[in-house]
Amino acid sequence: MREVDVVVVGAGLAGLQTGRLLAQRGLGVLVVERRRSLSAGLRTTGIFVRRTLDDFDVPEHLLGPGVRDVLLYPPSRRAPIRLTSDRDEYRVADMAGVYRHARCAAERAGAEVRLGVRYAGVGNGVVRLEGTDPVAARFIVGADGARSRVARDLGLDQNRRFLVGAEIVHPIASGASEPAFHCVLDPRVAPGYLGWVVDDGHSAHVGVAGYPHAMRTGVRHLLDRFVADAPGQAAATGPIERRGGPIPVGGVLRRLASPTSSPAGLLVGDAAGAVSPLTAGGLDPCLRMSEFAAAIIVEYLCDGDQHALRRYDGRTLRAGFRGRLLLRRVLAGVRSVAAAEAAVAALRSPTGRRAAARILFGDGSFPDVR
């Protein structure tokens, strides 16, 4: 039976980042992904915030123009609040290209990435795979998404609180509009969250997300309803792509690592609940937690620190989320048009505008995991 040091289940951004960092430290790494193409089944809008781009290497040619303006709309869509930063706060990435780049970087570091291979289970030091022979491994990393099977098999915590989102993506005429991020607080189409239009002057992303139990007619129907009168839309100049999927918003899970399983393992990315509970952004936290996870795994496997996995503790990380989890509950409670109109009206005050700017433009969307 083939032997490796680490099997990473899932070749999203978290899995590829973790695999690359471990391979750079000389560990034998196998990354497996059930999809046959990393450009298939995309689920993320691909919005990178300024803090992420400051701290991580995302190729410039894969990023759209900078977005500095955010417009907040009430359900009526009238008189939006415009917030403008003096810096580029958001850039929308070509996520298919980002995944290809991350895969190449992982392979250059020495990791093996195999697509079209489905994880089937783990036990007694063996990772079972559909589509290839089982592998003996010293460690397993669950980077297999919001509904992680690795988390279940290792007896770790699993995400329980979700939004479900859907969006359409299409090219637009270059220079036809000024880059902007339009956010609509309307519980009729996005109960518990927002509808959005992100226009960076090259492409447009139009989407909604909300709590699935409140989306009685289904997320795709609500998306179509939102698209009919969403503000800030530009006409499509090419094919329309649809994306969607679950978004964990319960904060980082408490039990993230299993030192007693065989092999030992831990979770990263959406599998770990590494998503901002308030903004539902997951790209920045997945990169930060992947760095932390890789450092912990190296201490455990290479340095022989048997207590290293104790430091990969979600209970400690959750302390940095108390305010965001509270605001998540507040946003989840906005279930009527009148309440949404009142919420946006409150943000028109100087105090409200400062609070909104801090959330949208601040550096603290996800705490430093170290």
Side-chain angles (χ1 to χ4, degrees), residues 7 14 46 73 101 142 147 151 194 207 239 299 303 310 321 355 361:
V7 172
Y73 295 80
H101 172 79
R147 295 189 173 97
L194 301 167
E299 291 178 18
D303 301 340
R310 295 180 183 177
F321 285 92
F361 301 150

Side-chain angles (χ1 to χ4, degrees), residues 30 72 84 103 133 151 173 254 266 304 332 338 368 370:
L30 171 65
L72 304 175
T84 302
R103 177 186 180 179
D133 294 331
R254 291 174 174 82
L266 56 71
D368 190 336
R370 293 182 183 275

Side-chain angles (χ1 to χ4, degrees), residues 13-14 17-18 21 48-56 252 267-269 274 282-296 312 317 321 362-370:
L13 201 55
Q17 170 86 341
T18 306
L21 294 172
F48 283 90
V49 298
R50 171 177 47 80
R51 183 185 178 208
T52 313
L53 298 176
D54 287 345
D55 294 346
F56 296 95
V252 174
L267 308 176
V268 295
L283 295 176
D284 183 79
C286 92
L287 290 172
R288 295 186 190 281
M289 283 200 70
S290 296
E291 280 200 336
F292 185 32
I296 290 292
Y312 196 71
L317 295 174
F321 285 92
D363 290 332
S365 62
F366 192 86
D368 190 336
V369 296
R370 293 182 183 275

